[in-house]
Each structure stands twice: as structure tokens, then as C-alpha cells.
Amino acid sequence: MSNLAYEQARSPAPSFDLTGKRVVVVGGKRAIGLGVAQAAHDMGAAVTVASRRRISAEERPDLASFDQIVLDIRDEAAVKAAFDSIGFFDHLVVTAGPELGSWGSFMDPDMRGVRSYLEGKFLGTWACARHAAPYLQAGGSMIFLTGGAGARAKFGLAAVTPTFAAVESLSRSLALELAPIRVNTIRPGFVDTDFWDVLPAETVEEIRAKVRANFPAKRIGTPADVGHAAVFLMTNSYVTGTVLEVSGGELLVDWIF
Ligand SMILES: NC(=O)c1ccc[n+]([C@@H]2O[C@H](COP(=O)([O-])OP(=O)(O)OC[C@H]3O[C@@H](n4cnc5c(N)ncnc54)[C@H](OP(=O)(O)O)[C@@H]3O)[C@@H](O)[C@H]2O)c1
């Protein structure tokens, strides 16, 4: 077989089809993770969603299509036990992260904020990747989640910017260490989820208005936008070690939330 024919055999025609694949979304019971879980399910995957709570079918009928796992990504033993119980699968997505504002400020009297943020984001993502890796099938991938702050420092986000940068950097390292398993990061812009609910309702409304006015895409992002990108990363076997921005062009403009 010629070199080109060999590569073409490994480069299937473009398809978002995930029929027969198993996808695990850590953080997938709501918000961005749920958008990813729904997109993968719509493309034919069997999806397992994980978070700290088991949610009943009565409370959330929209979760009925998914298997549920309970785990706290800050608890390495629980993460290992969860992946041991899930067994072999194809694509890992980790969207879970600490609550808005939980990271504290640089001048706080102690380092509790940054320690818990690193634990809930960077080390939690690491734990999921580490304990999922033995179970990922050939052709599989991992996707991590950061945000625009990973690329541009903002006042008050001293813990977030380096943590997101570390997660993005980890995805490049693992793209090498775990190859041919592919590892990528999605960097969303503003996505309208309950992540923002800790802010007063009028503040969130102001943020939405600023996003619609200033972001080049002239609209707010949705979990489905991130889900679409995640399915692309799962199904394109030549994309690894990248950060895919799904942000409406957030980083091209100045805006303060
Ligand atoms: N929304 C945005 O505009 C935006 C933009 C840029 C970046 N981000 C980043 O993306 C992350 C996800 O955003 P989102 O809007 O989907 O947030 P979200 O509404 O806060 O959802 C977070 C999800 O992660 C789970 N989770 C949180 N801590 C966990 C833990 N320790 N172990 C296991 N599961 C945990 C939560 O479920 P349980 O509570 O049941 O555990 C929930 O399903 C955020 O942390 C943020 O860093 C968000």
C-alpha cells in the first residue's frame, strides 16, 4: 500500500457518528457537561454522566437516557472506584469545576481559595484522566474544559488563570504520554448556565447584554455549542493536543464581567 493509501485508510470520511461508542462526562448532569452528554447521545453514544449527586428520574426526566455515577473529583479513591466500575469506554470529557467565586482573592489572609480551586479543577481533571486512561479503547480521546481566563488574565482571577493554563498544558502533555489516545481542551466563552446563578439576577442580565453587544458572534453561548465542539473532537482522529476555543470571539474584544 502506498504511503498515501495507508494514511487515507486511517482517515475516515467526516462523520459525527458515535454509534456503538461509550462516552463518560464528568460534570454531565447539568450545564455545559449536560450539553456535551446530550450531543454525544444524539450522535448515537451510550453516555454515563458523573457528579457529586445522584439525581432521581422524577426530579430530572432529561437524565433518563444516561447512566449515572456519583463521584467527587477531589477524592482520588472515589474517582478510581468510579472508573473501575465503568470499565472500558471510548471518550472521557471532564467539565466539572468549582463554583463561581470559590477561588478567593490573591490577597486573602490564607491560601485556602487557591488550594481548593486547584484541587477541584486541575487535580480533579488529572485524577479523572489518570484513572480513566487504563480503560480508554483504541481510537479514544479525552477532552478537558477551561475558559477564556486561561488565555487572558483578568483582575480577581489570579487562581483561575494559572489553573486553566495548567489544565490546557496537561492536555498537551497527555496527548504525548497517552498517544494514540487523543487529548484536547475546549475553552468556552460565556455560556449561559446555572454556574452564574450565585450572582444577583440583574448582574447576570447585564453580563448577557454585554456579551450580546460585544462578542463578535453577537449572542450568548449555550451548552449545545460546547457539545457540538466536543463531538467534533471525539470524531476527528487527527486532532490532538489542541485548545479549541468556543467563545463567540470573546478573546478578540475587551469586556469585563
Ligand atoms: N458557564 C460558563 O460561562 C463558563 C465559561 C468558561 C468556563 N467555565 C468553566 O466550566 C466549568 C463548568 O461550567 P458549567 O457552566 O457547566 O458549571 P456548573 O453549572 O457549575 O456545573 C458544574 C458541574 O460539575 C459538577 N461538579 C462540580 N464539582 C464537582 C466535583 N468536585 N466532583 C464531581 N462533579 C462536580 C456539578 O455537579 P454536582 O454539583 O452534582 O457535583 C455540575 O454538574 C466551570 O467550573 C468553569 O470553570 C464555565
Side-chain angles (χ1 to χ4, degrees):
M1 197 185 285
S2 71
N3 279 349
L4 185 58
Y6 175 85
E7 299 309 340
Q8 279 170 341
R10 279 167 169 64
S11 176
S15 168
F16 274 21
D17 186 21
L18 289 170
T19 305
K21 304 295 183 193
R22 289 186 75 199
V23 173
V24 176
V25 186
V26 181
K29 294 179 198 169
R30 61 185 160 92
I32 292 175
L34 181 60
V36 173
Q38 284 169 334
H41 179 262
D42 288 348
M43 292 299 116
V47 179
T48 299
V49 290
S51 82
R52 292 166 295 184
R53 276 175 284 244
R54 179 167 297 282
I55 303 171
S56 70
E58 293 74 45
E59 194 185 338
R60 290 280 307 282
D62 59 323
L63 294 183
S65 319
F66 311 130
D67 288 332
Q68 282 194 46
I69 289 273
V70 176
L71 89 177
D72 186 327
I73 62 172
R74 297 166 297 186
D75 178 349
E76 188 185 354
V79 172
K80 181 176 186 317
F83 285 105
D84 287 347
S85 76
I86 291 167
F88 289 98
F89 68 104
D90 298 284
H91 301 286
L92 170 71
V93 186
V94 186
T95 66
E99 289 73 25
L100 177 66
S102 61
W103 46 78
S105 302
F106 181 71
M107 289 305 285
D108 282 351
D110 60 49
M111 292 170 61
R112 267 180 294 182
V114 63
R115 281 188 207 287
S116 75
Y117 194 71
L118 275 168
E119 194 171 28
K121 189 71 191 176
F122 177 68
L123 296 178
T125 300
W126 178 299
C128 292
R130 168 63 188 86
H131 294 294
Y135 292 109
L136 279 182
Q137 312 255 38
S141 77
M142 297 183 180
I143 301 170
F144 305 153
L145 190 87
T146 58
R152 188 162 67 184
K154 289 182 186 170
F155 190 89
L157 300 186
V160 177
T161 293
T163 302
F164 281 178
V167 170
E168 294 178 0
S169 195
L170 177 65
S171 74
R172 287 189 287 273
S173 296
L174 297 188
L176 283 176
E177 295 222 6
L178 301 177
I181 296 296
R182 297 174 299 103
V183 187
N184 294 291
T185 300
I186 295 176
R187 185 195 287 159
F190 175 83
V191 180
D192 204 1
T193 72
D194 47 15
F195 176 73
W196 299 96
D197 286 357
V198 296
L199 299 175
E202 54 277 18
T203 306
V204 181
E205 213 36 70
E206 281 167 23
I207 293 172
R208 291 189 184 110
K210 280 185 188 170
V211 170
R212 288 190 185 104
N214 297 322
F215 282 24
K218 301 293 177 196
R219 70 169 177 89
I220 53 181
T222 66
D225 292 321
V226 182
H228 187 172
V231 170
F232 163 73
L233 292 174
M234 291 176 207
T235 52
N236 188 315
S237 63
Y238 207 46
V239 181
T240 192
T242 65
V243 176
L244 179 55
E245 208 182 300
V246 184
S247 71
E250 173 182 359
L251 293 180
L252 300 174
V253 293
D254 285 326
W255 79 293
I256 305 291
F257 70 75

